[in-house]
Amino acid sequence: MIILQDMSMTELSEYLTTEFGVRPFVAGQVYSWLQKNVGFDDMSNISLALRAALADKCIAAAVQIVETLESAVDGTRKFLFRLTDGNVVEGVLMRYKYGNTLCISTQVGCRMGCKFCASTLGGLVRNLSAGEILSEVLAVNALETEPRYVTNVVLMGSGEPLDNFDQVVKFLQLVSDPQGIGISLRNISLSTCGIVPNMIRLADMGLPVNLTLSLHDPFNDERALIMPVTNAYPVEEAVSACKYFFDKTGRRIYIEYTLIDGQNDSYAHAMKLALLLHGMPVHVNVISLNPVRETGLKGTSESNLKRFLGYLTKLGVSATRRRTMGRDIEGACGQLRRRYLEEHHD
Ligand code: SAH
């Protein structure tokens, strides 16, 4: 089956005119419906014959929301998306004063093996296609009548976006299409554990996204223990790639730093981090580890987190704590999917 949401307006027009003999304006109408993440049945201004022909060969909505949890604390909503092959991935909608940020997944599972992360526990199942990633955004956006319900997107759900490079880049093109949902790339954050060659490729493309490096530990020997990707790409190289990205795009870099109790929260860590980032236009988001049952790792206490932030500030590093949202609805990435899989295996 062909996923129509994988196609740009031009590709769709070409496909529908050659395969189904439709006129270009009809392709435009189909494209508009695809942005609403509906099925062919709902495409009311498309002829029944064409809808039936399309349904035979194509998929209109690549993902469906099968479960929604809403936080009683802050209104954060967590979604479970079902792909057409039965796999599930998750997303989270966080509400801020300036708009709504949707965190989405780029892969089913992940093969990066970070020790603190729930998404990687079962390894990589498969990559999502560009249209499947897009459909996560479209499905949530369609929940409300305002045309721009989702204003910001972060690629921080399950998966490593730069391990699915081509589809993620295609997604960025699709999601920012002014004829489509038209979310500006400046409102999109791409978070990576540090796959250096693909950070460089992304920089060379000049796409003005917000690049976030999940750093978590400035010492390579320690970082390698929690993030195996360090063995391939040392942290200095990942930071250099961030600098290169800034030089190419002019976009400030973000660093994600998750504090693990007694492991990466000392003054020595703050000092080394400050040295590593010296002179760079970066902002560090500090967060305490969200405990995942299977990992046995503990988050840093509130007082140690404040102390660590204080060190960074004194060392001249721009840093704030990232607000923890939706703790009451299966916090960390990958947890909801794991619970769903546990409940549904029979
Ligand atoms: N693979 C990408 C994006 C997905 S993970 C990356 O590594 O950046 C999104 C962020 O959540 C990363 O910074 C990741 O390190 C962090 N993360 C994963 N599990 C976590 C947990 N249990 N607690 C806190 N942060 C976690």
Side-chain angles (χ1 to χ4, degrees):
M1 294 291 264
I2 288 174
I3 297 178
L4 295 180
Q5 287 166 326
D6 277 334
M7 299 183 193
S8 66
M9 177 67 234
T10 317
E11 289 164 343
L12 184 74
S13 190
E14 212 173 281
Y15 175 69
L16 293 185
T17 43
T18 51
E19 292 289 319
F20 298 89
V22 309
R23 282 176 293 165
F25 87 92
V26 177
Q29 290 174 326
V30 173
Y31 192 69
S32 299
W33 285 115
L34 295 175
Q35 306 301 315
K36 297 184 166 58
N37 209 57
V38 296
F40 294 113
D41 287 350
D42 290 324
M43 301 188 178
S44 52
N45 59 357
I46 308 295
S47 75
L48 286 173
L50 178 58
R51 285 193 245 166
L54 288 173
D56 258 4
K57 283 197 176 159
C58 311
I59 290 161
V63 313
Q64 304 286 346
I65 296 173
V66 288
E67 202 175 312
T68 307
L69 297 174
E70 181 152 340
S71 164
V73 185
D74 52 32
T76 297
R77 280 203 263 172
K78 190 143 194 174
F79 303 100
L80 204 64
F81 301 108
R82 189 178 181 282
L83 309 172
T84 48
D85 66 358
N87 274 304
V88 290
V89 293
E90 55 196 271
V92 185
L93 186 73
M94 294 157 285
R95 293 148 187 226
Y96 296 100
K97 276 191 223 91
Y98 56 79
N100 296 317
T101 298
L102 181 67
C103 171
I104 52 170
S105 298
T106 54
Q107 296 179 315
V108 182
C110 184
R111 62 188 182 123
M112 293 299 117
C114 299
K115 292 289 180 287
F116 45 81
C117 181
S119 297
T120 201
L121 288 169
L124 176 67
V125 179
R126 73 166 173 89
N127 281 329
L128 262 59
S129 75
E132 288 176 321
I133 305 171
L134 176 70
S135 185
E136 296 177 65
V137 180
L138 299 177
V140 174
N141 196 61
L143 293 175
E144 301 288 331
T145 46
E146 39 192 308
R148 291 278 175 78
Y149 179 50
V150 176
T151 54
N152 297 67
V153 172
V154 298
L155 303 183
M156 285 198 180
S158 69
E160 166 50 49
L162 296 187
D163 188 39
N164 184 14
F165 190 84
D166 294 343
Q167 295 303 314
V168 165
V169 167
K170 176 101 197 262
F171 157 75
L172 293 174
Q173 286 154 354
L174 295 174
V175 78
S176 58
D177 175 10
Q179 287 177 279
I181 189 172
I183 298 179
S184 159
L185 292 183
R186 290 165 191 277
N187 291 346
I188 300 181
S189 300
L190 188 156
S191 182
T192 180
C193 60
I195 302 188
V196 171
N198 286 348
M199 293 169 79
I200 308 264
R201 279 170 79 195
L202 191 72
D204 285 335
M205 288 179 166
L207 302 172
V209 295
N210 304 304
L211 181 65
T212 301
L213 173 66
S214 299
L215 203 152
H216 305 330
D217 199 312
F219 298 108
N220 281 315
D221 51 348
E222 288 179 9
R223 188 175 189 264
L225 296 176
I226 52 167
M227 299 179 72
V229 69
T230 315
N231 293 316
Y233 309 111
V235 72
E236 293 78 12
E237 285 182 24
V239 169
S240 292
C242 288
K243 272 193 198 131
Y244 184 74
F245 186 85
F246 172 77
D247 291 342
K248 288 278 170 178
T249 63
R251 307 286 296 158
R252 181 162 84 145
I253 300 297
Y254 295 85
I255 301 289
E256 216 49 41
Y257 200 96
T258 296
L259 290 168
I260 308 172
D261 189 39
Q263 297 210 19
N264 59 359
D265 53 0
S266 74
Y267 183 70
H269 289 93
M271 184 79 169
K272 178 76 177 173
L273 183 63
L275 279 173
L276 205 55
L277 302 178
H278 185 71
M280 272 177 70
V282 291
H283 182 79
V284 181
N285 285 313
V286 177
I287 192 172
S288 179
L289 181 88
N290 212 331
V292 175
R293 187 175 13 105
E294 292 89 338
T295 67
L297 296 169
K298 256 179 63 192
T300 295
S301 69
E302 183 65 25
S303 57
N304 282 357
L305 183 143
K306 285 196 178 127
R307 195 183 60 186
F308 191 80
L309 260 182
Y311 293 153
L312 288 180
T313 310
K314 264 202 206 106
L315 291 161
V317 179
S318 156
T320 44
R321 89 180 293 174
R322 192 186 263 278
R323 267 167 71 200
T324 315
M325 297 178 93
R327 275 234 167 181
D328 54 333
I329 51 167
E330 314 266 349
C333 109
Q335 286 181 309
L336 179 61
R337 170 170 173 262
R338 287 192 68 76
R339 180 173 63 71
Y340 182 86
L341 295 178
E342 277 164 20
E343 285 170 4
H344 289 76
H345 84 278
D346 41 24

